[in-house]
Amino acid sequence: MRMIVDTDAGVDDVQAIMMALNHADTEIAAITCVTGNTHVDWVTRNVFAMLDVVGAGPIPVFRGAEQPLLPGTWTGEARVHGEDGLGNYTKRQPTARQLQDEPAALALVRMANEAPGELTLVTLGPLTNVALACRLDPEFPHKIARFVFMGGAELAMGNTNNLSAEFNVYCDPEAAAVVLDAFPEAEMLSWEATVRHPFTWEQYETLAAGTSRAAEFFRDTTGSAVQFLREQLHAPGFYIPDPLAMAAALEPSLVEESSFHYVAVETRGALTRGQTVVDHFGASGRSPNVHIIKAIDIATIYAMFEQMLS
Ligand code: BDR
Ligand code: CA
């Protein structure tokens, strides 16, 4: 599988990309960066830091949108990801890696044209870059083989100040609306699916106690997220939204249950801007466009983490 990863890295984003790097049958053709958890300039640095830690080969990295399509709601997510987007990571080393000159949206369009029907697109952040690609080339979505995204809330149980909206969609609701409208089919890993599939705290501690460079990086970058999850959310375990979406992309057989619905994005609601609105009962008469992942094999995903961090 050849994959493009679009990311706002992000603590769980870098874990997800490490999973893809560690997957035998997957090649990352490009990483495109977008503002979300933190500003895109931190995102590119975070991606480079992770690639250096795991000793990845030369992967083209593109800088993308530095703000949502419409200004207004983006504030970053420093509570979870730290000011730098990587848990206030203090062990950064100088990197020899360089950004590509091409803007991310142009690169998405070009790569889809070079290999129509071949690329899997996995998005781990706001959908700004992908929306721009859809507007640049209306055929872009039809040239992508599979589109898997972390985002949305299937039952309106969000994780932002707009209570029914999930973070990635809330950051750029117009972009999410454009993308869901443009892609014939997508696979969605929602916030509620994230909450249903945590690692236990014991599992987190085991992973964080590893001695490899990757395990040390995992430990060094997850402190702020763990503090937020334990002290603010009182979460039952360690949430891994982006790795769950990546797992579904890498190994479709890990998805144990999904259902296919029409999904659109609310862009105007006074209380609900950024909510994903799901036609659960087919009432709209609109054709389904999103496979909503309900259950995924978390035991196997934990085993993938153990192997990745060993
Ligand atoms: C999503 O928002 C970000 O904080 C995470 O990286 C994930 O992509 C979860 O709502
Ligand atoms: Ca993310």
Side-chain angles (χ1 to χ4, degrees), residues 89-197:
Y89 183 54
T90 56
K91 296 184 184 168
R92 284 175 201 274
Q93 301 293 321
T95 183
R97 295 177 195 268
Q98 292 192 333
L99 282 171
Q100 302 292 309
D101 290 335
E102 199 179 15
L106 293 179
L108 287 168
V109 169
R110 175 182 53 76
M111 287 187 287
N113 278 323
E114 287 169 356
E118 285 179 25
L119 291 163
T120 294
L121 174 63
V122 180
T123 66
L124 309 174
L127 288 159
T128 319
N129 290 335
V130 182
L132 290 168
C134 291
R135 284 299 189 247
L136 285 167
D137 179 4
E139 289 305 307
F140 169 75
H142 303 278
K143 296 172 195 162
I144 294 295
R146 264 181 89 198
F147 169 43
V148 182
F149 73 102
M150 192 287 135
E154 67 205 49
L155 294 172
M157 294 169 62
N159 61 348
T160 67
N161 291 341
N162 266 24
L163 305 178
S164 59
E166 178 279 334
F167 179 80
N168 288 338
V169 175
Y170 178 59
C171 274
D172 195 342
E174 281 72 22
V178 165
V179 169
L180 290 192
D181 190 50
F183 271 81
E185 282 191 23
E187 295 163 58
M188 165 170 147
L189 192 294
S190 70
W191 180 249
E192 293 96 325
T194 301
V195 170
R196 283 197 296 274
H197 299 90

Side-chain angles (χ1 to χ4, degrees), residues 7-10 12-13 37 81 124-126 150 167-168 242:
T7 177
D8 63 336
D12 59 321
D13 299 66
N37 289 318
H81 299 269
L124 309 174
M150 192 287 135
F167 179 80
N168 288 338
D242 293 342

Side-chain angles (χ1 to χ4, degrees), residues 18 20 25 35 40 42 51 54 94 120 123 146 153 165 201 228 276 291 293:
M18 286 163 70
D25 303 327
T35 285
V40 67
W42 275 116
L51 293 174
V54 301
T120 294
T123 66
R146 264 181 89 198
W201 287 118
F228 177 78
T276 41
H291 297 272
I293 297 168

